[in-house]
Amino acid sequence: RKEVEQDPGPFNVPEGATVAFNCTYSNSASQSFFWYRQDCRKEPKLLMSVYSSGNEDGRFTAQLNRASQYISLLIRDSKLSDSATYLCVARGFGNEKLTFGTGTRLTIIP
Amino acid sequence: EAGVAQSPRYKIIEKRQSVAFWCNPISGHATLYWYQQILGQGPKLLIQFQNNGVVDDSQLPKDRFSAERLKGVDSTLKIQPAKLEDSAVYLCASSLVFTAKVNTEAFFGQGTRLTVV
């Protein structure tokens, strides 16, 4: 079983729609989590950290469910510029190892 | 603030040749990561340093890959000899040391795109 698992998609979503991604992790000791965004042929960049209480940044909302070991990302009112691959990341406990999922490819359709 | 610097940006080599990549992390970042990203996949950790010590190299193919960070600042990753399946983007990232108060993110360089023919 992979340490961090994501549905690779692709997700093709009309502009203005709401889209949600889930990610599961296998190591219950993972201490922190992130969502990164990666544009085609570019490096990954931090989209947002994920906190236990859930957090929101504009149109983006991240949730963490430690009991079920999953993380979610919700994008509201999607824009064409949201088209990218979204990578789920878990940080290991004690060693700071950052483990990435395969990524979920999102395409926003005009 | 300067970001993570990597060179070269692109490299094409023949199989069985050797190649080296260089990374200079953000100033003050103790943790340095090397990732391999094959097309269509997420980044896979090859090796992680904290200062000049290795924290994790469990997924580094040690028969052909080596990495060092001698002075705890910049780092080199070497492949010798290269195989066709080593064709990928090699990403370097750095971060501050994690603390309970600060969820430190990793910043990535632009990567080196390696093609082995």
Side-chain angles (χ1 to χ4, degrees):
Chain A
R1 182 185 174 187
K2 291 182 180 179
E3 287 189 54
V4 178
E5 292 202 69
Q6 297 181 251
D7 180 346
F11 285 64
N12 298 314
V13 173
E15 192 175 6
T18 295
V19 59
F21 308 135
N22 283 335
C23 162
T24 59
Y25 61 95
S26 61
N27 186 351
S28 60
S30 297
Q31 60 182 344
S32 60
F33 306 90
F34 305 91
W35 284 101
Y36 273 72
R37 170 190 169 131
Q38 186 171 28
D39 293 300
C40 187
R41 301 180 76 86
K42 298 287 188 181
E43 73 275 22
K45 292 186 178 178
L46 180 71
L47 177 66
M48 57 197 305
S49 299
V50 185
Y51 299 108
S52 297
S53 56
N55 48 300
E56 189 174 304
D57 183 2
R59 298 181 293 108
F60 299 84
T61 301
Q63 297 278 356
L64 167 62
N65 184 320
R66 285 195 181 273
S68 301
Q69 294 183 205
Y70 79 80
I71 307 134
S72 65
L73 177 68
L74 183 78
I75 306 174
R76 291 180 298 278
D77 187 24
S78 53
K79 312 290 185 190
L80 296 177
S81 57
D82 295 333
S83 296
T85 295
Y86 291 83
L87 296 158
C88 175
V89 187
R91 184 196 298 275
F93 179 78
N95 61 8
E96 302 186 43
K97 177 180 176 181
L98 291 175
T99 302
F100 284 75
T102 302
T104 298
R105 182 186 291 183
L106 172 66
T107 301
I108 305 300
I109 303 166
Chain B
E1 179 182 279
V4 177
Q6 287 190 248
S7 66
R9 289 291 311 279
Y10 305 93
K11 191 74 178 179
I12 301 174
I13 62 171
E14 294 182 351
K15 59 184 179 183
R16 292 187 288 275
Q17 285 188 323
S18 62
V19 64
F21 313 128
W22 176 81
C23 171
N24 194 21
I26 293 172
S27 178
H29 282 194
T31 305
L32 185 148
Y33 308 85
W34 282 104
Y35 286 88
Q36 178 193 60
Q37 188 172 27
I38 293 172
L39 188 64
Q41 300 182 18
K44 170 189 163 187
L45 181 68
L46 293 175
I47 188 166
Q48 176 185 337
F49 293 94
Q50 185 156 321
N51 296 308
N52 59 351
V54 175
V55 174
D56 189 308
D57 63 356
S58 57
Q59 298 189 91
L60 186 74
K62 297 180 186 63
D63 58 333
R64 298 184 302 106
F65 286 64
S66 64
E68 59 183 16
R69 193 186 185 198
L70 293 176
K71 297 182 179 178
V73 181
D74 58 343
S75 175
T76 55
L77 176 70
K78 297 179 182 178
I79 307 175
Q80 182 179 9
K83 293 185 175 181
L84 296 176
E85 59 261 36
D86 298 332
S87 294
V89 176
Y90 291 83
L91 294 161
C92 179
S94 71
S95 71
L96 293 168
V97 175
F98 174 81
T99 71
K101 295 183 179 179
V102 180
N103 193 14
T104 55
E105 67 182 280
F107 294 84
F108 282 83
Q110 291 182 300
T112 296
R113 186 173 300 273
L114 174 68
T115 303
V116 183
V117 298

